[in-house]
PDB file of all heavy atoms in Angstrom:
ATOM      1  N   VAL A   1     -63.759   8.632 -24.688  1.00 93.00           N
ATOM      2  CA  VAL A   1     -63.093   7.356 -24.969  1.00 93.00           C
ATOM      3  C   VAL A   1     -61.866   7.677 -25.777  1.00 93.00           C
ATOM      4  O   VAL A   1     -61.818   7.845 -27.011  1.00 93.00           O
ATOM      5  CB  VAL A   1     -63.992   6.401 -25.708  1.00 93.00           C
ATOM      6  CG1 VAL A   1     -63.261   4.990 -25.893  1.00 93.00           C
ATOM      7  CG2 VAL A   1     -65.278   6.197 -24.990  1.00 93.00           C
ATOM      8  N   SER A   2     -60.654   7.686 -25.085  1.00 92.00           N
ATOM      9  CA  SER A   2     -59.424   7.989 -25.807  1.00 92.00           C
ATOM     10  C   SER A   2     -58.876   6.725 -26.560  1.00 92.00           C
ATOM     11  O   SER A   2     -59.504   5.663 -26.398  1.00 92.00           O
ATOM     12  CB  SER A   2     -58.307   8.378 -24.785  1.00 92.00           C
ATOM     13  OG  SER A   2     -58.030   7.309 -23.976  1.00 92.00           O
ATOM     14  N   ASP A   3     -57.947   6.925 -27.490  1.00 92.00           N
ATOM     15  CA  ASP A   3     -57.390   5.780 -28.149  1.00 92.00           C
ATOM     16  C   ASP A   3     -56.776   4.841 -27.163  1.00 92.00           C
ATOM     17  O   ASP A   3     -56.823   3.563 -27.359  1.00 92.00           O
ATOM     18  CB  ASP A   3     -56.380   6.302 -29.123  1.00 92.00           C
ATOM     19  CG  ASP A   3     -56.969   7.067 -30.347  1.00 92.00           C
ATOM     20  OD1 ASP A   3     -58.132   6.896 -30.590  1.00 92.00           O
ATOM     21  OD2 ASP A   3     -56.178   7.727 -31.065  1.00 92.00           O
ATOM     22  N   GLU A   4     -56.125   5.305 -26.146  1.00 93.00           N
ATOM     23  CA  GLU A   4     -55.541   4.425 -25.146  1.00 93.00           C
ATOM     24  C   GLU A   4     -56.550   3.603 -24.421  1.00 93.00           C
ATOM     25  O   GLU A   4     -56.355   2.434 -24.158  1.00 93.00           O
ATOM     26  CB  GLU A   4     -54.755   5.287 -24.125  1.00 93.00           C
ATOM     27  CG  GLU A   4     -53.530   6.007 -24.724  1.00 93.00           C
ATOM     28  CD  GLU A   4     -53.851   7.287 -25.467  1.00 93.00           C
ATOM     29  OE1 GLU A   4     -54.942   7.992 -25.137  1.00 93.00           O
ATOM     30  OE2 GLU A   4     -53.119   7.715 -26.378  1.00 93.00           O
ATOM     31  N   MET A   5     -57.691   4.259 -24.088  1.00 93.00           N
ATOM     32  CA  MET A   5     -58.725   3.550 -23.425  1.00 93.00           C
ATOM     33  C   MET A   5     -59.264   2.486 -24.319  1.00 93.00           C
ATOM     34  O   MET A   5     -59.548   1.380 -23.913  1.00 93.00           O
ATOM     35  CB  MET A   5     -59.847   4.529 -22.920  1.00 93.00           C
ATOM     36  CG  MET A   5     -60.998   3.865 -22.194  1.00 93.00           C
ATOM     37  SD  MET A   5     -62.374   4.913 -21.780  1.00 93.00           S
ATOM     38  CE  MET A   5     -61.544   5.918 -20.512  1.00 93.00           C
ATOM     39  N   GLU A   6     -59.517   2.792 -25.557  1.00 94.00           N
ATOM     40  CA  GLU A   6     -60.009   1.868 -26.583  1.00 94.00           C
ATOM     41  C   GLU A   6     -59.081   0.639 -26.655  1.00 94.00           C
ATOM     42  O   GLU A   6     -59.537  -0.542 -26.590  1.00 94.00           O
ATOM     43  CB  GLU A   6     -60.182   2.535 -27.955  1.00 94.00           C
ATOM     44  CG  GLU A   6     -60.732   1.703 -29.022  1.00 94.00           C
ATOM     45  CD  GLU A   6     -62.210   1.720 -29.137  1.00 94.00           C
ATOM     46  OE1 GLU A   6     -62.835   2.215 -28.263  1.00 94.00           O
ATOM     47  OE2 GLU A   6     -62.663   1.362 -30.248  1.00 94.00           O
ATOM     48  N   GLY A   7     -57.826   0.876 -26.764  1.00 94.00           N
ATOM     49  CA  GLY A   7     -56.805  -0.186 -26.857  1.00 94.00           C
ATOM     50  C   GLY A   7     -56.740  -0.942 -25.568  1.00 94.00           C
ATOM     51  O   GLY A   7     -56.668  -2.252 -25.528  1.00 94.00           O
ATOM     52  N   SER A   8     -56.764  -0.318 -24.361  1.00 93.00           N
ATOM     53  CA  SER A   8     -56.762  -0.983 -23.099  1.00 93.00           C
ATOM     54  C   SER A   8     -58.049  -1.912 -22.919  1.00 93.00           C
ATOM     55  O   SER A   8     -57.896  -3.053 -22.399  1.00 93.00           O
ATOM     56  CB  SER A   8     -56.721   0.118 -22.030  1.00 93.00           C
ATOM     57  OG  SER A   8     -56.866  -0.538 -20.739  1.00 93.00           O
ATOM     58  N   ASN A   9     -59.178  -1.383 -23.292  1.00 93.00           N
ATOM     59  CA  ASN A   9     -60.400  -2.162 -23.183  1.00 93.00           C
ATOM     60  C   ASN A   9     -60.356  -3.348 -24.145  1.00 93.00           C
ATOM     61  O   ASN A   9     -60.731  -4.457 -23.716  1.00 93.00           O
ATOM     62  CB  ASN A   9     -61.670  -1.365 -23.556  1.00 93.00           C
ATOM     63  CG  ASN A   9     -61.954  -0.245 -22.498  1.00 93.00           C
ATOM     64  OD1 ASN A   9     -61.555  -0.417 -21.345  1.00 93.00           O
ATOM     65  ND2 ASN A   9     -62.761   0.647 -22.908  1.00 93.00           N
ATOM     66  N   ALA A  10     -59.787  -3.212 -25.305  1.00 95.00           N
ATOM     67  CA  ALA A  10     -59.654  -4.328 -26.344  1.00 95.00           C
ATOM     68  C   ALA A  10     -58.763  -5.393 -25.726  1.00 95.00           C
ATOM     69  O   ALA A  10     -59.067  -6.560 -25.774  1.00 95.00           O
ATOM     70  CB  ALA A  10     -59.200  -3.824 -27.609  1.00 95.00           C
ATOM     71  N   LEU A  11     -57.675  -4.947 -25.136  1.00 94.00           N
ATOM     72  CA  LEU A  11     -56.766  -5.890 -24.542  1.00 94.00           C
ATOM     73  C   LEU A  11     -57.346  -6.610 -23.343  1.00 94.00           C
ATOM     74  O   LEU A  11     -57.256  -7.854 -23.208  1.00 94.00           O
ATOM     75  CB  LEU A  11     -55.471  -5.236 -24.108  1.00 94.00           C
ATOM     76  CG  LEU A  11     -54.395  -6.107 -23.419  1.00 94.00           C
ATOM     77  CD1 LEU A  11     -53.999  -7.349 -24.384  1.00 94.00           C
ATOM     78  CD2 LEU A  11     -53.187  -5.357 -23.111  1.00 94.00           C
ATOM     79  N   ALA A  12     -58.095  -5.955 -22.496  1.00 93.00           N
ATOM     80  CA  ALA A  12     -58.786  -6.597 -21.389  1.00 93.00           C
ATOM     81  C   ALA A  12     -59.762  -7.626 -21.793  1.00 93.00           C
ATOM     82  O   ALA A  12     -59.830  -8.769 -21.315  1.00 93.00           O
ATOM     83  CB  ALA A  12     -59.477  -5.534 -20.526  1.00 93.00           C
ATOM     84  N   ILE A  13     -60.522  -7.375 -22.842  1.00 93.00           N
ATOM     85  CA  ILE A  13     -61.467  -8.339 -23.445  1.00 93.00           C
ATOM     86  C   ILE A  13     -60.748  -9.471 -24.091  1.00 93.00           C
ATOM     87  O   ILE A  13     -61.049 -10.648 -23.822  1.00 93.00           O
ATOM     88  CB  ILE A  13     -62.306  -7.618 -24.505  1.00 93.00           C
ATOM     89  CG1 ILE A  13     -63.250  -6.667 -23.831  1.00 93.00           C
ATOM     90  CG2 ILE A  13     -63.181  -8.663 -25.296  1.00 93.00           C
ATOM     91  CD1 ILE A  13     -63.889  -5.652 -24.788  1.00 93.00           C
ATOM     92  N   ALA A  14     -59.587  -9.234 -24.729  1.00 94.00           N
ATOM     93  CA  ALA A  14     -58.759 -10.343 -25.386  1.00 94.00           C
ATOM     94  C   ALA A  14     -58.259 -11.197 -24.350  1.00 94.00           C
ATOM     95  O   ALA A  14     -58.320 -12.446 -24.490  1.00 94.00           O
ATOM     96  CB  ALA A  14     -57.665  -9.619 -26.200  1.00 94.00           C
ATOM     97  N   GLU A  15     -57.790 -10.638 -23.225  1.00 94.00           N
ATOM     98  CA  GLU A  15     -57.230 -11.507 -22.128  1.00 94.00           C
ATOM     99  C   GLU A  15     -58.285 -12.379 -21.575  1.00 94.00           C
ATOM    100  O   GLU A  15     -58.108 -13.582 -21.299  1.00 94.00           O
ATOM    101  CB  GLU A  15     -56.590 -10.592 -21.024  1.00 94.00           C
ATOM    102  CG  GLU A  15     -55.291  -9.954 -21.465  1.00 94.00           C
ATOM    103  CD  GLU A  15     -54.804  -8.961 -20.442  1.00 94.00           C
ATOM    104  OE1 GLU A  15     -55.617  -8.426 -19.629  1.00 94.00           O
ATOM    105  OE2 GLU A  15     -53.576  -8.719 -20.371  1.00 94.00           O
ATOM    106  N   LYS A  16     -59.489 -11.818 -21.305  1.00 93.00           N
ATOM    107  CA  LYS A  16     -60.624 -12.497 -20.768  1.00 93.00           C
ATOM    108  C   LYS A  16     -60.877 -13.803 -21.624  1.00 93.00           C
ATOM    109  O   LYS A  16     -61.044 -14.927 -21.145  1.00 93.00           O
ATOM    110  CB  LYS A  16     -61.808 -11.638 -20.650  1.00 93.00           C
ATOM    111  CG  LYS A  16     -63.044 -12.322 -20.154  1.00 93.00           C
ATOM    112  CD  LYS A  16     -64.335 -11.423 -20.247  1.00 93.00           C
ATOM    113  CE  LYS A  16     -65.526 -12.187 -20.040  1.00 93.00           C
ATOM    114  NZ  LYS A  16     -66.705 -11.375 -20.234  1.00 93.00           N
ATOM    115  N   PHE A  17     -61.097 -13.512 -22.807  1.00 94.00           N
ATOM    116  CA  PHE A  17     -61.546 -14.586 -23.815  1.00 94.00           C
ATOM    117  C   PHE A  17     -60.425 -15.528 -24.042  1.00 94.00           C
ATOM    118  O   PHE A  17     -60.670 -16.734 -24.278  1.00 94.00           O
ATOM    119  CB  PHE A  17     -62.175 -14.027 -25.034  1.00 94.00           C
ATOM    120  CG  PHE A  17     -63.492 -13.511 -24.838  1.00 94.00           C
ATOM    121  CD1 PHE A  17     -63.823 -12.136 -24.917  1.00 94.00           C
ATOM    122  CD2 PHE A  17     -64.560 -14.366 -24.476  1.00 94.00           C
ATOM    123  CE1 PHE A  17     -65.031 -11.620 -24.647  1.00 94.00           C
ATOM    124  CE2 PHE A  17     -65.828 -13.825 -24.222  1.00 94.00           C
ATOM    125  CZ  PHE A  17     -66.097 -12.503 -24.275  1.00 94.00           C
ATOM    126  N   TYR A  18     -59.178 -15.106 -24.120  1.00 94.00           N
ATOM    127  CA  TYR A  18     -57.998 -16.004 -24.248  1.00 94.00           C
ATOM    128  C   TYR A  18     -58.019 -16.952 -23.107  1.00 94.00           C
ATOM    129  O   TYR A  18     -57.769 -18.188 -23.413  1.00 94.00           O
ATOM    130  CB  TYR A  18     -56.760 -15.142 -24.283  1.00 94.00           C
ATOM    131  CG  TYR A  18     -55.529 -15.955 -24.687  1.00 94.00           C
ATOM    132  CD1 TYR A  18     -55.259 -16.298 -25.966  1.00 94.00           C
ATOM    133  CD2 TYR A  18     -54.700 -16.380 -23.713  1.00 94.00           C
ATOM    134  CE1 TYR A  18     -54.152 -17.038 -26.377  1.00 94.00           C
ATOM    135  CE2 TYR A  18     -53.580 -17.186 -23.930  1.00 94.00           C
ATOM    136  CZ  TYR A  18     -53.309 -17.472 -25.355  1.00 94.00           C
ATOM    137  OH  TYR A  18     -52.236 -18.196 -25.649  1.00 94.00           O
ATOM    138  N   ARG A  19     -58.290 -16.477 -21.808  1.00 93.00           N
ATOM    139  CA  ARG A  19     -58.312 -17.543 -20.805  1.00 93.00           C
ATOM    140  C   ARG A  19     -59.497 -18.478 -20.927  1.00 93.00           C
ATOM    141  O   ARG A  19     -59.395 -19.669 -20.631  1.00 93.00           O
ATOM    142  CB  ARG A  19     -58.455 -16.713 -19.434  1.00 93.00           C
ATOM    143  CG  ARG A  19     -57.176 -16.091 -18.893  1.00 93.00           C
ATOM    144  CD  ARG A  19     -57.374 -15.456 -17.506  1.00 93.00           C
ATOM    145  NE  ARG A  19     -58.474 -14.616 -17.366  1.00 93.00           N
ATOM    146  CZ  ARG A  19     -58.462 -13.336 -17.565  1.00 93.00           C
ATOM    147  NH1 ARG A  19     -57.394 -12.708 -18.044  1.00 93.00           N
ATOM    148  NH2 ARG A  19     -59.567 -12.559 -17.404  1.00 93.00           N
ATOM    149  N   GLN A  20     -60.699 -17.949 -21.335  1.00 94.00           N
ATOM    150  CA  GLN A  20     -61.848 -18.840 -21.475  1.00 94.00           C
ATOM    151  C   GLN A  20     -61.691 -19.882 -22.621  1.00 94.00           C
ATOM    152  O   GLN A  20     -62.225 -20.944 -22.445  1.00 94.00           O
ATOM    153  CB  GLN A  20     -63.080 -17.990 -21.897  1.00 94.00           C
ATOM    154  CG  GLN A  20     -63.743 -17.202 -20.712  1.00 94.00           C
ATOM    155  CD  GLN A  20     -64.997 -16.472 -21.018  1.00 94.00           C
ATOM    156  OE1 GLN A  20     -65.419 -16.514 -22.180  1.00 94.00           O
ATOM    157  NE2 GLN A  20     -65.540 -15.848 -20.071  1.00 94.00           N
ATOM    158  N   PHE A  21     -60.840 -19.618 -23.560  1.00 93.00           N
ATOM    159  CA  PHE A  21     -60.641 -20.567 -24.653  1.00 93.00           C
ATOM    160  C   PHE A  21     -59.338 -21.368 -24.440  1.00 93.00           C
ATOM    161  O   PHE A  21     -58.790 -21.810 -25.439  1.00 93.00           O
ATOM    162  CB  PHE A  21     -60.616 -19.806 -25.996  1.00 93.00           C
ATOM    163  CG  PHE A  21     -61.862 -19.075 -26.327  1.00 93.00           C
ATOM    164  CD1 PHE A  21     -61.892 -17.764 -26.805  1.00 93.00           C
ATOM    165  CD2 PHE A  21     -63.177 -19.764 -26.201  1.00 93.00           C
ATOM    166  CE1 PHE A  21     -63.041 -17.162 -27.174  1.00 93.00           C
ATOM    167  CE2 PHE A  21     -64.321 -19.052 -26.503  1.00 93.00           C
ATOM    168  CZ  PHE A  21     -64.304 -17.767 -27.014  1.00 93.00           C
ATOM    169  N   SER A  22     -58.974 -21.537 -23.214  1.00 91.00           N
ATOM    170  CA  SER A  22     -57.708 -22.180 -22.946  1.00 91.00           C
ATOM    171  C   SER A  22     -57.622 -23.648 -23.484  1.00 91.00           C
ATOM    172  O   SER A  22     -56.544 -24.183 -23.669  1.00 91.00           O
ATOM    173  CB  SER A  22     -57.386 -22.157 -21.468  1.00 91.00           C
ATOM    174  OG  SER A  22     -58.341 -22.911 -20.739  1.00 91.00           O
ATOM    175  N   GLY A  23     -58.794 -24.299 -23.606  1.00 92.00           N
ATOM    176  CA  GLY A  23     -58.798 -25.632 -23.986  1.00 92.00           C
ATOM    177  C   GLY A  23     -58.573 -25.799 -25.530  1.00 92.00           C
ATOM    178  O   GLY A  23     -58.568 -26.959 -25.990  1.00 92.00           O
ATOM    179  N   LEU A  24     -58.492 -24.739 -26.229  1.00 93.00           N
ATOM    180  CA  LEU A  24     -58.404 -24.842 -27.702  1.00 93.00           C
ATOM    181  C   LEU A  24     -56.945 -24.716 -28.237  1.00 93.00           C
ATOM    182  O   LEU A  24     -56.093 -24.221 -27.505  1.00 93.00           O
ATOM    183  CB  LEU A  24     -59.142 -23.795 -28.397  1.00 93.00           C
ATOM    184  CG  LEU A  24     -60.647 -23.690 -28.146  1.00 93.00           C
ATOM    185  CD1 LEU A  24     -61.317 -22.465 -28.645  1.00 93.00           C
ATOM    186  CD2 LEU A  24     -61.371 -24.953 -28.621  1.00 93.00           C
ATOM    187  N   GLU A  25     -56.738 -25.199 -29.380  1.00 94.00           N
ATOM    188  CA  GLU A  25     -55.407 -25.086 -30.029  1.00 94.00           C
ATOM    189  C   GLU A  25     -55.162 -23.594 -30.233  1.00 94.00           C
ATOM    190  O   GLU A  25     -56.065 -22.817 -30.424  1.00 94.00           O
ATOM    191  CB  GLU A  25     -55.456 -25.835 -31.401  1.00 94.00           C
ATOM    192  CG  GLU A  25     -54.306 -25.764 -32.283  1.00 94.00           C
ATOM    193  CD  GLU A  25     -54.290 -24.667 -33.263  1.00 94.00           C
ATOM    194  OE1 GLU A  25     -55.305 -24.315 -33.761  1.00 94.00           O
ATOM    195  OE2 GLU A  25     -53.167 -24.106 -33.506  1.00 94.00           O
ATOM    196  N   GLU A  26     -53.875 -23.178 -30.144  1.00 90.00           N
ATOM    197  CA  GLU A  26     -53.507 -21.742 -30.147  1.00 90.00           C
ATOM    198  C   GLU A  26     -54.117 -20.958 -31.284  1.00 90.00           C
ATOM    199  O   GLU A  26     -54.655 -19.862 -31.100  1.00 90.00           O
ATOM    200  CB  GLU A  26     -51.986 -21.654 -30.082  1.00 90.00           C
ATOM    201  CG  GLU A  26     -51.482 -20.175 -29.905  1.00 90.00           C
ATOM    202  CD  GLU A  26     -51.867 -19.563 -28.627  1.00 90.00           C
ATOM    203  OE1 GLU A  26     -52.271 -20.372 -27.591  1.00 90.00           O
ATOM    204  OE2 GLU A  26     -51.766 -18.415 -28.440  1.00 90.00           O
ATOM    205  N   GLY A  27     -54.015 -21.435 -32.505  1.00 91.00           N
ATOM    206  CA  GLY A  27     -54.561 -20.736 -33.679  1.00 91.00           C
ATOM    207  C   GLY A  27     -56.050 -20.437 -33.552  1.00 91.00           C
ATOM    208  O   GLY A  27     -56.539 -19.388 -33.846  1.00 91.00           O
ATOM    209  N   GLU A  28     -56.766 -21.466 -33.181  1.00 94.00           N
ATOM    210  CA  GLU A  28     -58.228 -21.410 -32.979  1.00 94.00           C
ATOM    211  C   GLU A  28     -58.541 -20.542 -31.853  1.00 94.00           C
ATOM    212  O   GLU A  28     -59.535 -19.736 -31.914  1.00 94.00           O
ATOM    213  CB  GLU A  28     -58.832 -22.826 -32.781  1.00 94.00           C
ATOM    214  CG  GLU A  28     -60.383 -22.795 -32.559  1.00 94.00           C
ATOM    215  CD  GLU A  28     -61.197 -22.261 -33.699  1.00 94.00           C
ATOM    216  OE1 GLU A  28     -60.626 -22.174 -34.950  1.00 94.00           O
ATOM    217  OE2 GLU A  28     -62.420 -21.946 -33.514  1.00 94.00           O
ATOM    218  N   ARG A  29     -57.798 -20.578 -30.770  1.00 93.00           N
ATOM    219  CA  ARG A  29     -58.003 -19.723 -29.612  1.00 93.00           C
ATOM    220  C   ARG A  29     -57.879 -18.248 -29.990  1.00 93.00           C
ATOM    221  O   ARG A  29     -58.726 -17.428 -29.558  1.00 93.00           O
ATOM    222  CB  ARG A  29     -56.905 -20.149 -28.576  1.00 93.00           C
ATOM    223  CG  ARG A  29     -57.044 -19.549 -27.198  1.00 93.00           C
ATOM    224  CD  ARG A  29     -55.895 -20.070 -26.355  1.00 93.00           C
ATOM    225  NE  ARG A  29     -56.089 -19.741 -24.986  1.00 93.00           N
ATOM    226  CZ  ARG A  29     -55.205 -20.017 -24.014  1.00 93.00           C
ATOM    227  NH1 ARG A  29     -54.106 -20.564 -24.360  1.00 93.00           N
ATOM    228  NH2 ARG A  29     -55.405 -19.599 -22.800  1.00 93.00           N
ATOM    229  N   LEU A  30     -56.852 -17.912 -30.700  1.00 94.00           N
ATOM    230  CA  LEU A  30     -56.713 -16.529 -31.136  1.00 94.00           C
ATOM    231  C   LEU A  30     -57.725 -16.055 -32.034  1.00 94.00           C
ATOM    232  O   LEU A  30     -58.222 -14.881 -32.079  1.00 94.00           O
ATOM    233  CB  LEU A  30     -55.304 -16.246 -31.798  1.00 94.00           C
ATOM    234  CG  LEU A  30     -54.100 -16.418 -30.758  1.00 94.00           C
ATOM    235  CD1 LEU A  30     -52.786 -16.415 -31.534  1.00 94.00           C
ATOM    236  CD2 LEU A  30     -54.163 -15.332 -29.727  1.00 94.00           C
ATOM    237  N   ARG A  31     -58.207 -16.935 -33.036  1.00 95.00           N
ATOM    238  CA  ARG A  31     -59.230 -16.629 -33.976  1.00 95.00           C
ATOM    239  C   ARG A  31     -60.521 -16.267 -33.227  1.00 95.00           C
ATOM    240  O   ARG A  31     -61.210 -15.311 -33.553  1.00 95.00           O
ATOM    241  CB  ARG A  31     -59.439 -17.809 -34.892  1.00 95.00           C
ATOM    242  CG  ARG A  31     -60.412 -17.442 -36.060  1.00 95.00           C
ATOM    243  CD  ARG A  31     -60.724 -18.724 -36.949  1.00 95.00           C
ATOM    244  NE  ARG A  31     -61.588 -19.628 -36.266  1.00 95.00           N
ATOM    245  CZ  ARG A  31     -62.889 -19.518 -36.138  1.00 95.00           C
ATOM    246  NH1 ARG A  31     -63.463 -18.389 -36.632  1.00 95.00           N
ATOM    247  NH2 ARG A  31     -63.725 -20.321 -35.555  1.00 95.00           N
ATOM    248  N   ARG A  32     -60.826 -17.087 -32.197  1.00 95.00           N
ATOM    249  CA  ARG A  32     -62.106 -16.777 -31.496  1.00 95.00           C
ATOM    250  C   ARG A  32     -61.926 -15.531 -30.666  1.00 95.00           C
ATOM    251  O   ARG A  32     -63.013 -14.841 -30.477  1.00 95.00           O
ATOM    252  CB  ARG A  32     -62.337 -17.913 -30.483  1.00 95.00           C
ATOM    253  CG  ARG A  32     -62.770 -19.151 -31.332  1.00 95.00           C
ATOM    254  CD  ARG A  32     -63.578 -20.059 -30.536  1.00 95.00           C
ATOM    255  NE  ARG A  32     -63.963 -21.303 -31.184  1.00 95.00           N
ATOM    256  CZ  ARG A  32     -64.599 -22.257 -30.738  1.00 95.00           C
ATOM    257  NH1 ARG A  32     -65.067 -22.170 -29.472  1.00 95.00           N
ATOM    258  NH2 ARG A  32     -64.875 -23.343 -31.451  1.00 95.00           N
ATOM    259  N   VAL A  33     -60.818 -15.171 -30.134  1.00 95.00           N
ATOM    260  CA  VAL A  33     -60.575 -13.902 -29.382  1.00 95.00           C
ATOM    261  C   VAL A  33     -60.834 -12.769 -30.369  1.00 95.00           C
ATOM    262  O   VAL A  33     -61.556 -11.780 -30.052  1.00 95.00           O
ATOM    263  CB  VAL A  33     -59.208 -13.846 -28.840  1.00 95.00           C
ATOM    264  CG1 VAL A  33     -58.821 -12.465 -28.295  1.00 95.00           C
ATOM    265  CG2 VAL A  33     -59.029 -14.883 -27.680  1.00 95.00           C
TER     266      VAL A  33
END
């Protein structure tokens, strides 16, 4: 698990949950991510 892979995986997870929390206000959405 390289640093790049770790960062890439974190971003993929962040994108997934950012989409799932689309109904929330931006600050709360980012906090949950």
Side-chain angles (χ1 to χ4, degrees):
V1 186
S2 67
D3 290 342
E4 294 79 26
M5 183 184 288
E6 181 94 339
S8 175
N9 287 341
L11 179 56
I13 293 166
E15 289 174 332
K16 171 187 171 186
F17 287 112
Y18 188 80
R19 284 189 307 274
Q20 284 185 358
F21 298 134
S22 64
L24 300 174
E25 178 269 324
E26 187 66 14
E28 179 63 14
R29 191 177 186 188
L30 291 174
R31 188 185 74 76
R32 289 204 187 178
V33 169

